[in-house]
Structure formats: structure tokens, C-alpha cells
Amino acid sequence: MYRAPIEEISHTLNHVAGMRAMLDEGLLDDLTPDLVEAILTEAGRFAAEEMAPLARAGDEHGVRLEDGRVTTPPGWPELYRKWCAGGWNALAAPVHLGGQGLPMMLSVAALEMWNSASMAFTIGPTLTIGAIETLERHATDELKRTYIGKLVTGEWIATMNLTEPQAGSDLNALRTRAERAGDGTYRIFGQKIFITYGEHDFTDNIVHLVLARLPDAPAGTKGISLFLVPKFLVNEDGSLGARNDVFCASIEKKLGIHGSPTCTMIYGDGRFGDQPGAIGWLVGEENRGLACMFTMMNNARLCVGVQGVAVAEAAYQKALAYARERRQGRAPGHEGEGMSPILAHPDIKRMLLTMKVMTKAARAVTYSCAHALDMARLSGAADREHWQQRADLLTPVAKAFPTDIGVEVASLGVQVHGGMGYIEETGAAALLRDARIAPIYEGTNGIQAIDLVTRKLPRADGGVVRGYIAELRGQAEAARGANIPDLGETGGHLLAALDDLERATNYLLQLLSEERVEEALCGATPYLRLFGFAAGGTMLARGALSSGDAGEARLCRYFAENHLCETTALRKSVMEGAESLLSASEVLS
Amino acid sequence: MYRAPIEEISHTLNHVAGMRAMLDEGLLDDLTPDLVEAILTEAGRFAAEEMAPLARAGDEHGVRLEDGRVTTPPGWPELYRKWCAGGWNALAAPVHLGGQGLPMMLSVAALEMWNSASMAFTIGPTLTIGAIETLERHATDELKRTYIGKLVTGEWIATMNLTEPQAGSDLNALRTRAERAGDGTYRIFGQKIFITYGEHDFTDNIVHLVLARLPDAPAGTKGISLFLVPKFLVNEDGSLGARNDVFCASIEKKLGIHGSPTCTMIYGDGRFGDQPGAIGWLVGEENRGLACMFTMMNNARLCVGVQGVAVAEAAYQKALAYARERRQGRAPGHEGEGMSPILAHPDIKRMLLTMKVMTKAARAVTYSCAHALDMARLSGAADREHWQQRADLLTPVAKAFPTDIGVEVASLGVQVHGGMGYIEETGAAALLRDARIAPIYEGTNGIQAIDLVTRKLPRADGGVVRGYIAELRGQAEAARGANIPDLGETGGHLLAALDDLERATNYLLQLLSEERVEEALCGATPYLRLFGFAAGGTMLARGALSSGDAGEARLCRYFAENHLCETTALRKSVMEGAESLLSASEVLS
């Protein structure tokens, strides 16, 4: 059963991601280390005691659709109400909106624990966090008054409606249309697919944020507007009015996250209301919808990255528990009668250590991204731009790297269980099934790599990424200079990895400056992984140094000596692989 | 829909794995290139037209158990009868037993296609091949007379009963007991789990090969005997007699291969027959059962390796078809209106090429192992020992490397499909679910790596592995010396990878000679992968050279420049990673 790794999370927050420094500098208002600890402990308790016990039923029952109504797994609506009652939904929302205004770092740490306990449940309320921020920044005062309060308390849940059958990664192809109704509202018509929690029985209203095109909009993404479309219209007094013309036509049968409804939503086919068209309200300006949605998407990307960390942590805990209990064979050095716990076998140790350090590296990356977001909001005016740039740089890495790791670690978790891992009863396979969505949704990991290389690297003429690498180099130098026997040669390995990262970065920047975009794109995915390894490894060393913990140092050294060497292969693939890739790909068509 | 890749398979058989040379030297009796082609085409037709259309229903329906009876998916019993009627079951069996006596290479090629079409179906009859060989070598004439004929025609199916709840990888812990009945037969008592097709409705009798202990047997694996236990006793005239005291108590709910029953078998609880105890006949000598079973297990390991290749091929075909059809975005160089097929995007090209070359490398390794087995049987007496040693060396690699690749490629296949890959309807996820068992059963891939390092490397003082590496080196030199522009610097990359392999090999042999087994075991898994990469890559070059095919050369170069560089990281992990692994692992306990 899942146990909230409070110590591990606190270590990452304080010694890796910089929360301790923020606390010391008084950037976090009234927040104290004790309060942080108390919040984490309570969020972890909720995850382990309330959520985790209901996860299995969610996987087995899944969700049902009947007459447009979705039934979530047994106990889940009550769980959601408990979660709101505990104030968890309001954790990250600003204080002036009724939230607790806690830093993103803390929100991300709590999300990790909830996703470890049940990813299928947690992705439901997660999108609301980004929706609140989007409405706060872009909506009219009237919309804010009507909706934000209830989203903050969790009385209503928000959804994000982008994808259409012909428009997935490419929103240019979006067809859902919006017509001006003449009274300031709009009428929305179209079909959206893959809508997470598009319909459910958690709340009595659902607030859809929907991308659509106005009749006179320019083609492409510059002609997309964002609309708020409630499931039920809201009366002046805040009570629910008529049903709006939107409904869930079908739900998907998925590999995993069975407890979460993935819906096809139909807008404006005339099923409800006096005249066809779902009534919507514009958020932000006409034709500027994508910019508004990006607020929500960037938040969502980091939250998806955290799902990778979360499933990896859950898989590690499960595999470790099994490896301690299950006995087979006699490991080297085994004495006495009977069989060894399989944990004593070197090959099992390798798998578990790999799971452990990969999870730690992934966690370091996501928490650091959250830290940058917090700094962009809370640091002095002079530094905010710097931290926003840092957050922008890290967001694609914080989405893709941990979600790839999530799949790899969950798959290792199955392997540690041997034959039992393949039996659904054990739960190891369910984690692999759940983990597999995270590299896909909220922009595939390929899209993240393209974003990193073509949009984030060129920022400030490469100054943002170079500044970040220089900072990492300083930390690696510190690791090399520190007299910590448990670190071994870790500092040197980190510097070598950062050399790989720097060379690959310069190479890609050079290609981009020569407009050799296709070659740069060939290396995008290995480059992102190289980035994750080099940054994640360096952060582990930073954590070991800052905490002085011998166990952290040993784990970091294991990572450096057994995994970090991969960076050279990745760098070669980035710098030398494009020509053969393009040439060989002709064989495919 | 699956299309049998006859050209690809023929290329691998003839230009990579040495079938052409065997044909030329007349080692394969009446077999001609035309006949090989005809058999492959017909086996492929059966896979694509008869099996593939029923695979989906198998995944969705799964199997049912009621009153000890197992119902397989709709149409599967008929499919099995068609398969037998086509003579496919007899493909590999010796001619004097009523089989077609075809080489293992051809059998493996056919198995690949059938597993691509439906792994859950194909694993049913697969074990019978090894059982025939086991009985032929070790059983009494009476047992042979009674059983082998019907196993060859497929009228009956054989199973392999090793695992018990407490005895998985470690057969020392086996508890199922056998008592001498006094009439030359034995009575078997115990529980076996994870028995593939332990019960089904394909045939009216099932022949269980069961490991058990005699009362006076020594402890450990030297006290294990092998018994033949039929579901129904067989009368003198070959007709079926009384039901034997064995039955299926439950079936597992698994991640994948849903169409295949995975059974818990209960022997001798008195449910059937006059007195308790399933009646069994000894195969081979008392207490020598494990040696007999190894005949079956080695065969099974190669066949499982082929499953990895098969699922990878199916996943590649499905992803390629999707990437050609699905349009999103505009790839570099895209001209005109509309969106590009996603195949035009460099990142998608990378995924598909990776799937393609990994599948090819995995296929090369398994077919080469089959070639070695054929040579051990068919070459001149002076060479047989050499080829048997080669087959023994390659067997763990041929099991583990392709099955790891199978999971990786199937996972990439999901990714290429984007959101659609997560929806079960597409079938991409089902391939990942099916692929995930292959690294686990028939000896986990960790066990294979241990076998390779501790048992296979030391053979002939390291002479077997060194001889093999020298042979690969010759092929890599040939690639470097050849004037094939499409190969680029492939020869040099291969030689570097073989250097990595040789250094890691020498290092491990040195550790073993110093009895530093634990350190050697730490590197076993990365060593096996290094072996697979270096050998697989070299074989791709051999195939490109031998065939003169430009496409093959380009794919090989892509592999060399984008993936082979991983060998250095693996070598470092083997040679420098053990200390930090053992030191960090103390953190786990």
C-alpha cells in the first residue's frame, strides 16, 4: 500500500528545488518549515488513507455512461467531496479568491502524492487549478464573480476542450465554431474528443473551457477564441438554471486510468435549450483564445509531469515491498538455510535502484520548474523575468522527461514482480497502464521536445539555456570540490554530462541560426532526454551536498556511474544522427 | 491489419542468419530456395488471413472458466483445427515422427508471423514443439508410441508445468511430489501455477509435462523428476480412457494475452479416479528431470524471443500505417495546402526508424540462434560441438534482448498513435500489453542475463564467446572495408561497439576467475543488452553487405549512428558501476 514519502519530498523541496532558501528569504509570507511539514503530512495522509484504498475499485469498475450521464467508480463522488472539504482544492488558488495561496511547489508536492494514490481520480480536479488562473487573468469581472468562487471551493469542476478528431497536436485544424448571439453571449457548435472528466457525477455543474472559431476569424491558430460553456446555466443568484446544449456522447475504453471518464462532448446539436447552440461566454479577446489557453496548458504540462513522478514513486514502493518479501534463490553471500529475499540479488538491486534514482531525478526536475514559477511570482521585480524564462525553459522538460521515466519505472516495477507483475491483482500492471498516457496527453513528448528546441533554446539568443547550464555547472563543480567520499567521482561525471549538454545545445542553436530546422528537429527527443539526465543528475548532487545525507550521496553516485554515461550517446545522436535518420527514413515511405 | 513481411524475413534468413549458405551446401536435404519461399508465403497467409482477424476478439473476450472447463475465444478452437490441418503443427517435428523435419530457422520464421498475428493463440501450440523433442530424447518407447504421434499432428497439445507459488525462478523450492505406484507408474500430488494453456477446448486430451519430487529424492534441483501426466488416460488402442486426477482450479486475470488461459493446475486432490493422485509416467531417469526439461526450456526460450520480434513487427506495421494516414501540422519542407502526414515529421521518423531497426536487430539475433541450432544438428560431426556451444551462448541473448525490444517497440507504437494509441480500439495498446509478458516468462530476462554471464561466458575458458566476438569483428571489418556509401562510417561504429563488448566480456571473465561473482552479477543485465546491440548491429551490416540492398545499408547506418553509441554507456555500467550499485543498495533495505 502507498505510503506518502514526506521525507523524500521535503528533501527535494528544500535541498534540491530551493524552497528552504525562499523560506529563509521570507518570500513565502507566513509559511514556515513547520507549516510546510504539516501540510505535506496531511496531504499525504489523505492520499494514503482516503484515496489509495479506492484506487483499485476505480481501475476495475471504470466508468459507465448511460443516457448522457457518467457514473464514476464506487465511493469516488464522496471522496471528491471529502477532498474539497479538506480544503485541498483551494491549495494553490490565490488568497483573495478564497484559496490558500500556497506556492506552486507545495501544490506540486501534494499533487504528486494524490497522483501516486490514484492518478485516475486526481486528474479530475487538477485542471481546475489552471482554469482558475486562466479566468482570473483573462475573464470579465462578471464571469469571475459567477464562476471562480465555486471553482476554488471545488463545488464545480472545470474542463479543457481543445482536441477534435482532425485537430490533435495541430490546433490550426480546429473546426468547432462560435456564433455571436447578439446579446454578448455566443453559441457554440462542434465536437470535442478526449475531454478528461468532460462529464461526471462529482459536482452538479461543470465549467467547460472551449476553443472555437468565430465565423469571421482568420484561418489557423490566430483565429481561435476561448469560451466558457457551463453544463448548466447559472442564475443571477448563483443557483443553477437551464441545461445548456452540451452533452457527453460517448466515453473511451482506455488502456489505463479507467476510473476517469474520457469524453466525446457534443456542443450545440439542439438536444437541450430553446434553440440550437451551447451558450458560451468569451474569455479574453476574440481570436486570442490560444494565448489564454496557454496559461492553462503550461500549468497542465507541469501537472502531467508530476503524474510521471507520482506513478514512478508508487511503482517503486510496490516493487520494493515485494522484493523484500518474496524469496527465491540464494544471493551471493547468503548464509544459512532457505532462500534470499529477491532484494538481495544484484540484478533486482539494479532494477530497484534504477527506479529510485530515476524517480528522484524526475521529481527534481518538476519541483524545480514549480520553484521557477513561484520565483517568477514572488521574487523582486528585477528577477521575475529571469525566473519566468527559467520556468518556460523547464516546462517542456518537466512534462516529457518525468512522464517517460514514469513509463520506464512502472515497467521495471512489473519486471521486479516476475510472473506476479503480469497478474492484474498485484496492481503493478495497473501502474504501467496508467503511466502510459502521460507521455501522450497535454502535448505529446515529441511536441515538448520540439517546443524545447525550436522555441525555448533560441530565447535571448540562447542566453536562457546557457545561463541555466552555467548554473548547473557551478553545482557540479561544487560536487567535485566537496570532500564527500560517498559521492566518488560524481562531480566529474556530472561535468562530462554537462559538456554533452552544452555541446548539443550549441550545435542545435547553430543549426537553428542557419535555418536548418529539420536537422535540429531530428535531435529534439534525444536532446530533451539529455537535458533531463544532466539537469536531474546535477540536482541530485545539489541535494546530497545541501543535506549532507550519505544515502543521497550514494544514490547520486549510482546514478552518475550507471546511467549518466548515457548522455554521450544522446549527444552523439543529436549531433551526428540527423543525416542517417533523414536518409534512412526514405525507406519508410 | 498485419501483413506477413516475407521479404524482410527471407532477407534475414538468407543474408543475416546463414540459411542461404546451408542451402548452397546441401545441408537442408530437399529444401530449395523456392520451397522456403513457398512455405513462408503460405505460413504468412495463414497468419494474416486466418489468425489476425480473430486476434481482437481474443483480447476482448478473453477466456472463461466454468466447472473446471475453459472456453477459449470465439472461433479459436476452429482456428486451431485449421492450423493443424494445414500441417503447421508438424513443421519442425522430425520426419520419422510424422513431421516435416524443417529446420528450426524456418520454424522460427513461421512462429514470428503467427505470433505477430496473435501471440495469445500461438503460445498454445508452441510448447508442443519442445515437448516432442523432450519425449523423443528421453521418454520410453511406450510413451513415445502413445503420445508423440498425436502431438505431432496436433490432435493433443502439451504443457510445461514448472512453477509453484513458492518456486518461480528457483526450482530448488519445488514441492509437488510423486509417489511410486508399484506398477511402474507414479502418483502426482501438488499445485502448479501460471500454466499456459493448462486447460482449454482446442483438443480432447492435454499432455502435461510435470516436474515433481520423489519421496527419497535429494533436496534441491538434483531431486527433481519429470513426469508425463495426461488429462485423460489413454487406452491400449489409443482411445481415451478415464479422466486423470488433474484439473484447472482457476485462471489468471492478466495484463495481456487475454485469449490464452493461464491456469492453476491441481494434481491429485482426489477429484477424479478411484484413489487420489494423478497418474504419471516417468520421462528420463528419476531425479534427472531438470536436464530433460532443459531440452524443452531452451527451445521455449528461443520461441519466446521470437514473440518479442513478432510483437515488435506488428507494432511497427500498425504505427507506420497510422503515420502515413494521420495528418497533423506542417513538416519542414511541406508545400501546398493542408497538413502533412505525421510520417513527414522528423520526430515521428525517428520513432518509426527506431522501431524498424530494433525489430531487425532482434530478429537477426533470434534467427541466428536458430541457425546455430540447425547447424548443431545438421553440420558435419566435427562442427557440431562448435555450433551447439554457439547456440547455448546465444540462447539467453535470443530470449532477453528481443523481448525487451518487444516492449520498447510496442510502447513507441502507442506513442506514434498519440491519443488514439491509448484507446483500446486501435489495437496499439493491446500489443504493448501482450509484449509485456515475454521479458518475464520462460526465465525472466534477469535470469537470462545471469545465465549468460555466469554459465555461458566461462565455457571453454571464455573461448566460445571470444570466438564469437572475433567472428563479429570480421564482419564489422568487412563492413568498414566495403565501398558502400550508404553505410557511412558504420564499420567503424561497429568495431567500437565490439571493442566495448570485448572489454566488458574480458572484465566479467576476470571477475569470475577471481570469484567476484556478486560484482559480475551487477553488470549482467547491461552486459546482455550490450551483447544484443553489438551482435545485432553487426548482423544488420552483414545483411546489408550480403544483399547489396541500399535500404538495408541506410537502416544499418541509422542504427549505428543513433543507437549503437549506447554500447559505451553499457560497457561503463558493467565495468565501473558495481561498486556504487552495491553501496547504494544499502539505502534500499
Side-chain angles (χ1 to χ4, degrees):
Chain A
M1 186 56 83
Y2 173 71
R3 204 179 50 77
I6 304 293
E7 206 178 322
E8 178 80 42
I9 285 176
S10 295
H11 167 83
T12 310
L13 286 173
N14 290 314
H15 296 292
V16 176
M19 177 180 263
R20 177 61 58 87
M22 287 184 80
L23 287 165
D24 291 349
E25 289 167 30
L27 290 177
L28 299 176
D29 291 331
D30 301 340
L31 211 56
T32 61
D34 285 352
L35 191 50
V36 168
E37 174 95 12
I39 294 168
L40 289 176
T41 303
E42 199 49 35
R45 194 203 61 73
F46 192 87
E49 294 177 17
E50 306 284 348
M51 298 169 87
L54 292 176
R56 177 77 182 282
D59 185 59
E60 284 178 358
H61 279 257
V63 289
R64 309 245 187 289
L65 174 71
E66 219 169 329
D67 292 335
R69 274 169 227 261
V70 166
T71 311
T72 57
W76 283 33
E78 296 74 23
L79 177 64
Y80 176 73
R81 282 191 278 278
K82 269 194 194 173
W83 190 77
C84 293
W88 297 118
N89 197 57
L91 205 62
V95 173
H96 71 274
L97 297 177
Q100 302 186 36
L102 292 175
M104 190 68 191
M105 267 186 287
L106 211 47
S107 178
V108 154
L111 272 176
E112 183 204 307
M113 295 187 278
W114 299 328
N115 275 303
S116 286
S118 176
M119 182 171 150
F121 176 85
T122 304
I123 59 174
T126 297
L127 287 176
T128 303
I129 304 171
I132 293 167
E133 199 180 340
T134 303
L135 294 177
E136 164 70 0
R137 286 205 204 175
H138 305 289
T140 61
D141 287 342
E142 193 193 330
L143 282 183
K144 287 186 200 175
R145 259 196 314 277
T146 311
Y147 293 98
I148 286 187
K150 298 209 163 154
L151 291 174
V152 169
T153 59
E155 191 174 336
W156 298 343
I157 279 181
T159 72
M160 187 165 152
N161 291 239
L162 286 78
T163 305
E164 301 175 9
Q166 79 295 344
S169 299
D170 185 355
L171 292 174
N172 281 290
L174 202 102
R175 284 189 202 140
T176 295
R177 66 197 165 82
E179 291 176 4
R180 296 179 189 89
D183 60 355
T185 67
Y186 296 77
R187 296 278 171 161
I188 314 293
F189 304 88
Q191 180 190 7
K192 295 285 183 179
I193 62 169
F194 298 163
I195 307 307
T196 298
Y197 279 84
E199 176 63 38
H200 55 76
D201 52 6
F202 283 6
T203 56
D204 57 6
N205 204 4
I206 302 173
V207 181
H208 304 293
L209 292 179
V210 185
L211 291 182
R213 270 184 208 291
L214 288 162
D216 48 5
T221 53
K222 286 176 184 160
I224 296 176
S225 307
L226 178 63
F227 299 91
L228 183 154
V229 183
K231 178 177 169 187
F232 285 95
L233 302 177
V234 181
N235 298 322
E236 287 281 325
D237 63 356
S239 63
L240 294 188
R243 175 72 191 259
N244 203 352
D245 194 10
V246 46
F247 77 104
C248 169
S250 63
I251 53 175
E252 305 290 352
K253 190 164 175 257
K254 308 187 297 293
L255 174 61
I257 49 169
H258 289 164
S260 71
T262 302
C263 304
T264 297
M265 303 301 296
I266 307 290
Y267 290 87
D269 83 334
R271 176 169 307 220
F272 300 102
D274 307 332
Q275 58 181 102
I279 301 173
W281 284 264
L282 185 69
V283 178
E285 295 172 38
E286 289 186 351
N287 301 331
R288 300 290 307 276
L290 213 57
C292 301
M293 196 55 124
F294 262 115
T295 305
M296 196 164 173
M297 276 161 65
N298 274 331
N299 189 308
R301 286 177 173 182
L302 174 57
C303 291
V304 169
V306 173
Q307 292 166 14
V309 180
V311 178
E313 172 69 31
Y316 167 72
Q317 289 191 16
K318 191 179 278 288
L320 179 61
Y322 184 81
R324 281 176 173 158
E325 191 161 311
R326 171 74 172 169
R327 290 174 177 271
Q328 285 290 278
R330 296 164 68 88
H334 179 87
E335 283 168 19
E337 289 295 298
M339 301 188 280
S340 312
I342 62 170
L343 177 56
H345 293 285
D347 191 63
I348 302 284
K349 288 182 182 176
R350 172 179 289 280
M351 286 194 275
L352 285 163
L353 281 171
T354 302
M355 295 172 78
K356 176 86 177 167
V357 297
M358 290 295 178
T359 306
K360 286 173 75 75
R363 182 182 286 116
V365 170
T366 54
Y367 287 28
S368 287
C369 183
H371 171 256
L373 282 169
D374 285 330
M375 291 298 283
R377 193 166 53 92
L378 300 170
S379 62
D383 295 331
R384 285 185 194 171
E385 171 72 7
H386 165 79
W387 288 107
Q388 187 60 50
Q389 298 268 29
R390 170 70 55 86
D392 290 346
L393 174 69
L394 290 184
T395 294
V397 185
K399 193 273 173 176
F401 180 67
T403 52
D404 281 342
I405 296 296
V407 175
E408 290 165 28
V409 168
S411 188
L412 279 171
V414 171
Q415 191 69 21
V416 169
H417 282 80
M420 290 306 295
Y422 203 64
I423 308 300
E424 289 287 2
E425 194 186 342
T426 321
L431 292 171
L432 175 59
R433 289 191 284 98
D434 287 355
R436 194 62 194 80
I437 187 57
I440 295 174
Y441 63 11
E442 295 307 324
T444 65
N445 285 3
I447 297 283
Q448 304 300 327
I450 291 169
D451 176 51
L452 175 65
V453 168
T454 62
R455 281 189 286 272
K456 304 302 169 60
L457 291 193
R459 289 274 176 90
D461 279 336
V464 176
V465 64
R466 290 202 178 99
Y468 183 58
I469 295 172
E471 192 178 309
L472 293 173
R473 197 178 280 283
Q475 295 167 13
E477 295 278 10
R480 188 168 63 172
N483 182 20
I484 301 181
D486 283 312
L487 271 180
E489 303 298 317
T490 298
H493 290 297
L494 289 171
L495 288 166
L498 290 167
D499 281 345
D500 287 324
L501 179 60
E502 188 158 354
R503 287 175 64 185
T505 304
N506 290 335
Y507 179 78
L508 290 173
L509 284 167
Q510 181 66 30
L511 286 183
L512 292 173
S513 74
E514 295 170 14
E515 296 189 6
R516 292 160 65 186
V517 178
E518 187 172 35
E519 287 162 84
L521 289 175
C522 286
T525 287
Y527 176 77
L528 188 146
R529 191 172 176 90
L530 165 55
F531 196 117
F533 266 77
T538 304
M539 285 189 245
L540 293 191
R542 179 185 178 183
L545 249 62
S546 164
S547 67
D549 184 297
E552 294 292 336
R554 288 182 184 193
L555 289 170
C556 181
R557 184 183 160 207
Y558 168 76
F559 182 79
E561 292 188 4
N562 282 279
H563 296 283
L564 209 51
C565 28
E566 201 186 303
T567 58
T568 304
L570 292 164
R571 188 252 298 155
K572 286 185 181 174
S573 183
V574 172
M575 295 176 64
E576 300 164 20
E579 191 189 326
S580 66
L581 189 158
L582 293 171
S583 154
S585 70
E586 289 169 28
V587 180
L588 299 176
S589 17
Chain B
M1 185 57 82
Y2 174 70
R3 205 180 49 78
I6 304 293
E7 205 178 322
E8 178 80 42
I9 285 176
S10 296
H11 168 82
T12 310
L13 287 173
N14 289 314
H15 296 292
V16 176
M19 177 181 263
R20 178 60 59 87
M22 288 184 80
L23 287 165
D24 291 348
E25 290 168 30
L27 289 177
L28 299 177
D29 292 332
D30 301 339
L31 213 56
T32 60
D34 285 352
L35 191 50
V36 167
E37 175 95 10
I39 294 168
L40 289 176
T41 303
E42 199 48 33
R45 195 203 59 74
F46 193 87
E49 294 177 17
E50 306 284 349
M51 298 170 86
L54 292 175
R56 178 77 181 283
D59 185 60
E60 285 178 356
H61 279 257
V63 290
R64 309 246 186 289
L65 174 70
E66 220 171 327
D67 292 335
R69 274 168 227 261
V70 166
T71 310
T72 57
W76 283 34
E78 296 73 24
L79 177 64
Y80 177 72
R81 283 190 279 278
K82 268 195 198 175
W83 190 76
C84 292
W88 296 118
N89 196 57
L91 205 62
V95 174
H96 71 275
L97 298 177
Q100 302 186 35
L102 292 175
M104 190 67 191
M105 266 186 288
L106 210 46
S107 178
V108 154
L111 272 175
E112 183 204 309
M113 294 186 279
W114 298 328
N115 275 303
S116 286
S118 175
M119 181 171 150
F121 176 85
T122 304
I123 59 174
T126 297
L127 287 176
T128 303
I129 304 171
I132 293 167
E133 198 179 340
T134 303
L135 293 177
E136 164 70 0
R137 284 206 205 176
H138 305 289
T140 61
D141 286 344
E142 194 191 328
L143 282 183
K144 287 186 198 173
R145 260 197 313 276
T146 311
Y147 292 97
I148 286 187
K150 299 206 163 157
L151 290 174
V152 169
T153 59
E155 190 173 336
W156 298 344
I157 278 181
T159 73
M160 187 164 152
N161 290 240
L162 285 78
T163 305
E164 301 174 9
Q166 79 294 344
S169 299
D170 184 356
L171 292 174
N172 281 290
L174 201 102
R175 284 190 202 139
T176 295
R177 67 197 163 81
E179 291 177 4
R180 296 179 189 89
D183 61 355
T185 68
Y186 296 76
R187 296 278 172 160
I188 314 293
F189 304 87
Q191 181 190 5
K192 295 286 182 178
I193 61 169
F194 297 164
I195 307 307
T196 298
Y197 278 84
E199 177 62 37
H200 55 76
D201 53 6
F202 282 6
T203 56
D204 57 6
N205 204 5
I206 302 174
V207 181
H208 303 293
L209 291 178
V210 185
L211 290 182
R213 268 183 210 292
L214 288 162
D216 49 5
T221 53
K222 286 176 184 159
I224 294 175
S225 307
L226 178 63
F227 299 91
L228 182 154
V229 183
K231 177 178 170 187
F232 285 96
L233 303 178
V234 181
N235 298 322
E236 286 281 327
D237 63 356
S239 63
L240 294 187
R243 175 72 192 258
N244 203 352
D245 194 9
V246 47
F247 77 104
C248 170
S250 63
I251 53 175
E252 306 289 353
K253 189 163 176 260
K254 307 187 297 292
L255 174 61
I257 49 169
H258 290 163
S260 71
T262 302
C263 304
T264 296
M265 303 301 296
I266 307 290
Y267 289 86
D269 83 334
R271 174 170 308 220
F272 299 102
D274 307 332
Q275 59 182 103
I279 300 174
W281 283 262
L282 184 70
V283 177
E285 295 172 37
E286 289 186 351
N287 300 331
R288 300 290 307 276
L290 213 57
C292 300
M293 196 55 123
F294 262 114
T295 305
M296 196 162 173
M297 275 161 66
N298 274 330
N299 189 307
R301 286 176 174 184
L302 174 57
C303 291
V304 169
V306 173
Q307 292 165 15
V309 180
V311 178
E313 171 69 31
Y316 167 72
Q317 289 192 17
K318 191 179 275 292
L320 179 61
Y322 185 81
R324 281 177 174 158
E325 191 160 311
R326 171 74 172 169
R327 289 172 177 271
Q328 285 292 276
R330 296 164 69 87
H334 179 85
E335 284 169 18
E337 289 295 298
M339 301 189 280
S340 312
I342 61 170
L343 178 56
H345 293 285
D347 192 63
I348 302 282
K349 288 182 182 176
R350 172 179 287 281
M351 287 194 275
L352 285 164
L353 281 172
T354 302
M355 295 173 78
K356 175 87 178 166
V357 297
M358 291 294 178
T359 305
K360 288 174 74 74
R363 182 182 286 117
V365 169
T366 54
Y367 286 28
S368 286
C369 183
H371 172 256
L373 283 169
D374 285 329
M375 291 298 283
R377 193 166 54 89
L378 300 171
S379 63
D383 295 332
R384 286 186 192 168
E385 172 73 8
H386 165 80
W387 287 107
Q388 187 59 49
Q389 297 269 29
R390 170 69 55 86
D392 290 347
L393 174 70
L394 291 183
T395 295
V397 185
K399 193 274 172 176
F401 180 67
T403 53
D404 281 342
I405 296 296
V407 174
E408 291 164 28
V409 169
S411 189
L412 280 171
V414 171
Q415 192 69 21
V416 169
H417 283 80
M420 290 307 295
Y422 203 64
I423 308 299
E424 289 287 2
E425 194 187 341
T426 321
L431 292 171
L432 175 58
R433 291 191 284 98
D434 287 354
R436 194 61 195 81
I437 187 57
I440 295 174
Y441 63 12
E442 295 308 324
T444 65
N445 285 1
I447 296 283
Q448 304 300 327
I450 292 169
D451 176 51
L452 175 64
V453 168
T454 62
R455 281 189 287 272
K456 302 302 169 59
L457 291 193
R459 289 275 176 89
D461 279 336
V464 176
V465 63
R466 290 203 177 98
Y468 183 59
I469 294 173
E471 192 178 308
L472 293 173
R473 199 177 279 283
Q475 294 167 15
E477 294 280 9
R480 187 168 63 174
N483 182 19
I484 301 181
D486 283 312
L487 272 180
E489 303 297 318
T490 298
H493 290 298
L494 288 172
L495 288 166
L498 291 167
D499 282 345
D500 287 325
L501 178 60
E502 187 159 354
R503 287 175 65 185
T505 304
N506 289 335
Y507 179 78
L508 290 173
L509 284 167
Q510 180 66 27
L511 286 183
L512 292 174
S513 74
E514 295 170 13
E515 295 188 6
R516 292 160 65 186
V517 179
E518 189 172 33
E519 287 163 84
L521 289 174
C522 286
T525 287
Y527 177 77
L528 188 146
R529 191 172 175 89
L530 165 55
F531 196 117
F533 266 78
T538 305
M539 285 189 247
L540 294 191
R542 180 186 176 182
L545 250 62
S546 163
S547 68
D549 185 297
E552 294 292 336
R554 287 181 183 192
L555 290 169
C556 181
R557 183 183 162 207
Y558 168 76
F559 182 80
E561 292 188 3
N562 283 278
H563 296 283
L564 209 50
C565 28
E566 201 186 304
T567 59
T568 303
L570 292 164
R571 188 252 298 158
K572 286 185 181 174
S573 183
V574 172
M575 295 177 64
E576 300 165 18
E579 192 188 324
S580 67
L581 189 159
L582 293 172
S583 154
S585 71
E586 289 169 27
V587 180
L588 299 176
S589 17

